[in-house]
Amino acid sequence: MPMHPAAPEDLTGLVEAFAQSAQAIVDLARTCREEDFGKLTECPGWTVKDQIAHIVGAEAAMEGHLEPPVPMEDRKHVHGEVDGRTEYAVASRRERSGGDVLSELEHVLAQRLATLRSQGLTETSVLAGPYGQAVEAAELLRLRIRDVWAHEQDIRTALEWPGDLDSPAAAVFVDHVLECVPELVGGAGLEVGTTVIVDITGPMVGRAGVRIGTDDAGRPRSYAMFTGEPVEAEPGDAEDDLGSVTTISLSTDAVTRRAAGRRSVEDTAYHVVGDEDVARRALEALAFTD
């Protein structure tokens, strides 16, 4: 089932989706008093100001800015090298006011958008990623859109200012969720013969499904559904035999907060037609980080 509205695919559309979500963060931050910057968000360990600092740090790094040396405190939400590198940008701005970090974000975004809108840049142009890795422009933008939009939603939730659940950036994030369903849910250890359908009810609307079958050697394998490609039948099985079907219906907010790892299954609102235990196990598996 095609997602609606569709996610942008061309470079101009991706740049504008990124710009819109980043500007939404700026606009939200402009409404904040200093105490609002200190509100905790659903992203473990981070306040509203920390969210903004993270976005600043990532975009500044891709523009070649260097972070000043700062001592790093042990924090429970930091696990491994990638988390540590991400946390460094937040730690380096922790003693600054929210307004000051916001001003830096506005400055860095102007630089970043000038780079992304530069003449001659194409979808396949190679740019530096946030950790210095080489990434094609279109793929880098999708990564950054998903990250920025997720943090925009973190900030919106903390400030109780919902919105942008049907924006182009939301479409990029939801498209990735749907793309990941077969792999993530397929790795949940569900029984062969189980079919799980994830139905996103709005404002972004879309559907993804996975059927747990077997490969030629009889080992469990997940088969993606609703791809638009010809159905790949399992050895000896009828193509229209879906076995036990469980459908999970969630709103755009519920599925994206769960997929971003911000809310537990217990804190996620969803409706099930089928096996409740299968649905719970599928939703436990349906969480990724970029």
Side-chain angles (χ1 to χ4, degrees):
M1 174 182 177
M3 187 183 68
H4 181 77
E9 295 186 0
D10 63 294
L11 186 66
T12 299
L14 290 168
V15 171
E16 295 314 308
F18 168 80
Q20 189 272 331
S21 190
Q23 185 61 45
I25 291 176
V26 171
D27 294 342
L28 288 164
R30 284 175 177 162
T31 73
C32 289
R33 298 164 296 182
E34 199 57 41
E35 55 265 35
D36 294 323
F37 284 112
K39 289 181 176 179
L40 290 174
T41 69
E42 289 181 313
C43 192
W46 280 3
T47 64
V48 169
K49 186 182 77 173
D50 293 337
Q51 299 275 350
I52 298 168
H54 162 64
I55 300 300
V56 173
E59 301 306 321
M62 288 182 283
E63 284 298 307
H65 298 219
L66 298 177
E67 297 286 354
V70 294
M72 289 288 290
E73 303 173 3
D74 289 333
R75 290 184 174 263
K76 290 188 290 186
H77 62 276
V78 177
H79 306 285
E81 181 182 355
V82 172
D83 279 2
R85 293 171 74 175
T86 301
E87 188 69 21
Y88 196 91
V90 175
S92 70
R93 294 167 175 83
R94 190 157 275 132
E95 300 305 315
R96 292 164 53 186
S97 71
D100 189 34
V101 177
L102 171 59
S103 294
E104 185 186 6
L105 175 61
E106 293 179 286
H107 176 72
V108 168
L109 282 178
Q111 291 182 323
R112 193 68 190 142
L113 288 171
T115 296
L116 295 173
R117 290 167 173 158
S118 59
Q119 189 174 7
L121 192 73
T122 69
E123 284 90 344
T124 58
S125 297
V126 176
L127 299 173
Y131 301 116
Q133 73 277 38
V135 189
E136 289 188 354
E139 181 57 26
L140 177 61
L141 276 161
R142 291 186 183 96
L143 289 169
R144 296 306 306 139
I145 289 166
R146 294 197 297 265
D147 187 54
V148 170
W149 184 81
H151 292 301
E152 178 196 338
Q153 295 305 310
D154 290 331
I155 293 169
R156 286 186 178 280
T157 302
L159 298 179
E160 299 182 358
W161 199 317
D164 275 356
L165 290 169
D166 58 354
S167 67
V172 171
F173 193 99
V174 171
D175 187 58
H176 188 60
V177 174
L178 295 174
E179 185 180 83
C180 288
V181 164
E183 179 182 357
L184 294 176
V185 176
L190 301 175
E191 293 183 2
V192 171
T194 300
T195 294
V196 175
I197 297 171
V198 176
D199 195 7
I200 303 175
T201 58
M204 297 296 306
V205 177
R207 178 178 295 169
V210 58
R211 178 166 54 98
I212 309 302
T214 56
D215 62 16
D216 291 325
R219 295 168 299 198
R221 177 188 161 183
S222 58
Y223 292 78
M225 303 172 64
F226 315 126
T227 63
E229 300 295 327
V231 176
E232 183 180 357
E234 299 170 39
D237 281 356
E239 292 185 2
D240 59 353
D241 180 12
L242 299 182
S244 172
V245 180
T246 294
T247 300
I248 311 167
S249 299
L250 313 91
S251 69
T252 303
D253 176 68
V255 76
T256 54
R257 293 281 83 192
R258 176 63 205 139
R262 302 301 199 261
R263 292 179 193 159
S264 66
V265 175
E266 289 72 21
D267 291 331
T268 299
Y270 61 94
H271 175 72
V272 177
V273 176
D275 191 311
E276 292 278 355
D277 182 62
V278 167
R280 180 189 57 78
R281 290 166 65 188
L283 288 172
E284 287 286 358
L286 190 62
F288 59 81
T289 55
D290 286 316

